[in-house]
Amino acid sequence: MKLHIIPAILVSVALAIVVFFILETMRKPTYSLGELPERFIHEHQVTDFDGEVFRQRRDQIVEELGADLVIISATTRHDFRYVTGFTESRGIAVIEPGTSKPYSLFVTPWEIYTVMWTGEVYGINGAIEKFGADQAFELDKFDEKLAEMVRGKNSIHIHGGDSRMRNAVEAALRHNRQQAEVIDMAPVLHELRVFKDQWEIEQLKQAIDVTLKAHDFVMATVKPGQTEYEVQAAIEYIYRRNGLGVGFSSIVGSGPNSCLLHHTRNDRTMQDGDVLLIDIGAASRGGYVADVTRTIPVNGKFTPKQREIYELVLKASDKAMEQMTPDNYILDCNHVASKVMVDGLHRMGLIPDTTSWWQKRFYIQHRVNHYIGLQVHDAGDYGFETQKRDEHILTPAIRGRKLEPGMVMTLEPGLYFMVGMLDGIHEMFGHLASEDELNAFVEQVRPIYEKYEGIGVRIEDDILITENGYVNLSAHAPRTIDEIEAAMRR
Ligand code: GLY
Ligand code: MN
Ligand code: MN
C-alpha cells in the first residue's frame, strides 16, 4: 500500500509544479530587453528636421518682430532650437531679411581634434546642407563679423536671456559709434511657441507614441519584487531603442512614493498591493517632449480603496477634458477637476467643510495643465500668474487666457494620500486656522484618511486643442481601471 502512495504523491507534486509553471508562463509573456517584440519598436533616425518648416517659421518670426536683424545663440537652448532646428550646444543664428543671404549660421567647425575629443559636429557644410543656412561661418568669426552686421541697422533683436550677446552687440555698436535699439525677442518667440504647427504636432505624437509603448511595456511586465529603477531602465531603454531621448527625469513611484509629486530616486522595491505611479516622457527626434502619467497596481489588480481614488481622479479627468475647447479658458478644466475631486472627498468624509479653503487645499496640490513642446513645461503665457499657486488653484474666477486651436497641454489631475501628511497640517495651515480647528479636522478625518495612506493617483494625458474641441493624443494608453487590468493580464 505504502509503496503506491509515495510515487502517487511524487507524481502529483511534479504535476502541480508543471501546471503552476505553465499557468505562470501563460499569465505573462516574458520579454528580454535585447529582443523586444516588434510592437515596442519603430525605425530609427537621429534628428528630425524639415528645412521648409523652419524657413517658414523664421519668416513668421521676422514678420512678428518687424525686424531687420535677428541674432540668437544656442545659449537660449530651446528658443534657439525653435528658430533653427540646430541640435549642437554651441552656435549662433543671424537673420537679415531682404538680403541675398538672409540666414547665416555660426557653428563649431569640423576639425579633427574637436571631433576626436567631443564627438561628431555638423560643421560649416552641415549647417548649409542639413540645416538650410544660406551661408555658414566658424563660431570664432562671429565677434569680428558682428560690427559689420549691425552697421546701418536701427533695431537689433536679440534674446533677453542671453546677456553675453547683449554685451557683444553693445560693444559692436560702440565700436561703430552707432545708435540702435536692442530689443528682446523672447516674448514674441514664446507666444509663437504656444501654437504648434503640423510638424510640431507630428513631433509630439512621435514622442507620445513611444512613451505609450513604454507604459504598455511596464503594464505587460511589472511585478512585485522589482525595483522602481528596473522599471525606469526598461522605460528609458524603450525610448533609446526607438531612437528617441529621455524628455525629463522619469518618475517611478510605488506605494508611499506614489504620493511624492516629483519622486525621481526610484530606489524602492515594489510590494504586492502597491500602486505604481509612472510619470514619464520621451523626447522626439526633433526635441519635442511627451508627458504622460499612468497609475497602475503592481500586482495587476487594484484594491477597493485604490479603485475609489482612481475612479474619482478619472472622473475629474473626464469632466475636465470636456472643458478643453476653444469656447473655454485655460483654467476652466482645472476648476472642474478640483470641484469633482472636492465633492468626492466630501462624500467620503475627508473634507467635512467644503467652504473651508484650507481643507480643500490640503488635498488639491497642483493645477492640472501646462503646455508641452520643446520643454516639458513649455514656454508661453497662461494669462494668469503661474508662480502664485495659491491664488488661482481654487479660485474659479481666475480663468487665464482663452484656449485656442494649436495649443497642446497636459491634463493631469491627481490625489495623494501621503503617509504622515495629517501630522503636517499645523505646519501647512497654522497661519490660516486655529489650533482647535486643525485638531478637530485631524480627529474627524484621520480614521478615514489612514485607510488611503500610501495611495497616490495621477492620470496625465496630452491634449491638442482643435477648432471644435480637442484630441487626446495619449488616449490609446490604457486609462480606465478595466483597460489597465486587462493590459496587465496579457
Ligand atoms: N512630469 C512633471 C509634470 O507632470 O508636470
Ligand atoms: Mn508628468
Ligand atoms: Mn505634466
Side-chain angles (χ1 to χ4, degrees), residues 210-408:
V210 172
T211 304
L212 300 195
K213 284 179 195 291
H215 274 299
D216 281 349
F217 185 83
V218 176
M219 288 185 205
T221 58
V222 71
K223 43 180 179 272
Q226 285 182 325
T227 54
E228 294 166 348
Y229 52 77
E230 279 177 86
V231 172
Q232 176 187 0
I235 290 164
E236 294 173 11
Y237 177 85
I238 288 171
Y239 299 168
R240 300 307 294 165
R241 188 68 180 75
N242 283 285
L244 272 63
V246 179
F248 60 89
S249 300
S250 303
I251 298 170
V252 182
S254 64
N257 289 346
S258 63
C259 304
L260 313 183
L261 301 186
H262 288 141
H263 168 75
T264 49
R265 264 176 35 185
N266 302 346
D267 56 357
R268 183 171 174 277
T269 302
M270 296 177 288
Q271 310 293 317
D272 204 352
D274 285 347
V275 283
L276 176 61
L277 186 154
I278 302 172
D279 181 349
I280 54 172
S284 77
R285 292 181 289 261
Y288 284 75
V289 179
D291 187 9
V292 181
T293 306
R294 289 293 181 263
T295 307
I296 63 177
V298 167
N299 64 12
K301 196 139 182 52
F302 287 99
T303 66
K305 289 278 169 280
Q306 293 164 356
R307 288 178 92 90
E308 270 181 87
I309 304 304
Y310 196 94
E311 291 290 8
L312 186 51
V313 176
L314 184 64
K315 184 174 166 197
S317 174
D318 288 343
K319 292 279 172 223
M321 210 179 288
E322 291 168 11
Q323 299 295 312
M324 301 183 85
T325 76
D327 301 327
N328 294 313
Y329 290 79
I330 206 162
L331 277 179
D332 292 352
C333 60
N334 183 76
H335 301 316
V336 167
S338 299
K339 175 150 177 33
V340 170
M341 293 191 289
V342 165
D343 289 349
L345 294 166
H346 175 63
R347 281 194 302 274
M348 292 161 73
L350 286 158
I351 300 182
D353 176 7
T354 55
T355 66
S356 158
W357 183 86
W358 62 264
Q359 288 190 16
K360 292 186 277 191
R361 188 71 177 84
F362 180 68
Y363 299 95
I364 306 297
Q365 299 299 338
H366 55 79
R367 78 168 196 273
V368 298
N369 57 339
H370 59 80
Y371 301 127
I372 56 171
L374 285 164
Q375 288 162 280
V376 60
H377 292 180
D378 210 30
D381 181 47
Y382 288 83
F384 65 93
E385 288 200 54
T386 48
Q387 299 310 318
K388 294 189 181 170
R389 251 174 358 139
D390 277 338
E391 212 171 80
H392 63 258
I393 200 165
L394 285 163
T395 312
I398 303 179
R399 300 175 74 186
R401 72 188 281 178
K402 200 100 192 235
L403 289 173
E404 292 178 69
M407 291 176 164
V408 185

Side-chain angles (χ1 to χ4, degrees), residues 445-469:
V445 159
R446 191 187 294 279
I448 311 166
Y449 189 94
E450 280 179 349
K451 294 186 194 147
Y452 299 93
E453 257 183 355
I455 301 176
V457 173
R458 175 160 66 252
I459 304 170
E460 179 170 30
D461 286 282
D462 296 343
I463 311 292
L464 165 66
I465 308 298
T466 61
E467 294 290 337
N468 310 313

Side-chain angles (χ1 to χ4, degrees), residues 111-217:
E111 280 165 356
I112 199 94
Y113 274 124
T114 313
V115 172
M116 185 178 203
W117 284 81
T118 65
E120 193 58 84
V121 294
Y122 286 103
I124 306 282
N125 288 343
I128 295 170
E129 281 158 23
K130 178 158 173 81
F131 293 100
D134 298 312
Q135 53 186 351
F137 306 97
E138 296 181 12
L139 205 45
D140 286 351
K141 299 277 169 15
F142 177 74
D143 282 341
E144 78 189 51
K145 288 211 176 279
L146 184 58
E148 199 182 303
M149 291 186 295
V150 300
R151 188 162 293 131
K153 303 291 193 300
N154 295 319
S155 63
I156 298 154
H157 289 78
I158 61 164
H159 193 293
D162 189 350
S163 53
R164 259 191 80 208
M165 184 62 75
R166 179 173 289 275
N167 292 340
V169 167
E170 284 170 356
L173 291 171
R174 274 197 305 278
H175 173 272
N176 290 355
R177 299 178 197 287
Q178 178 192 345
Q179 300 284 326
E181 203 181 355
V182 180
I183 301 166
D184 177 11
M185 75 177 99
V188 168
L189 285 188
H190 292 173
E191 182 60 13
L192 288 172
R193 280 177 60 185
V194 168
F195 301 97
K196 272 67 182 178
D197 62 28
Q198 205 48 48
W199 187 82
E200 293 180 286
I201 291 168
E202 289 307 319
Q203 287 294 312
L204 281 164
K205 284 183 178 166
Q206 181 189 95
I208 291 164
D209 286 347
V210 172
T211 304
L212 300 195
K213 284 179 195 291
H215 274 299
D216 281 349
F217 185 83

Side-chain angles (χ1 to χ4, degrees), residues 44-85:
H44 289 202
Q45 213 177 307
V46 181
T47 298
D48 284 348
F49 179 79
D50 182 324
E52 189 50 28
V53 167
F54 281 86
R55 199 186 54 69
Q56 282 178 15
R57 185 176 299 167
R58 280 189 299 274
D59 287 350
Q60 191 187 6
I61 291 166
V62 164
E63 194 183 314
E64 292 283 332
L65 291 170
D68 54 4
L69 182 62
V70 177
I71 309 174
I72 185 165
S73 89
T75 307
T76 69
R77 293 188 57 192
H78 305 100
D79 285 327
F80 180 72
R81 183 134 189 210
Y82 181 72
V83 175
T84 64

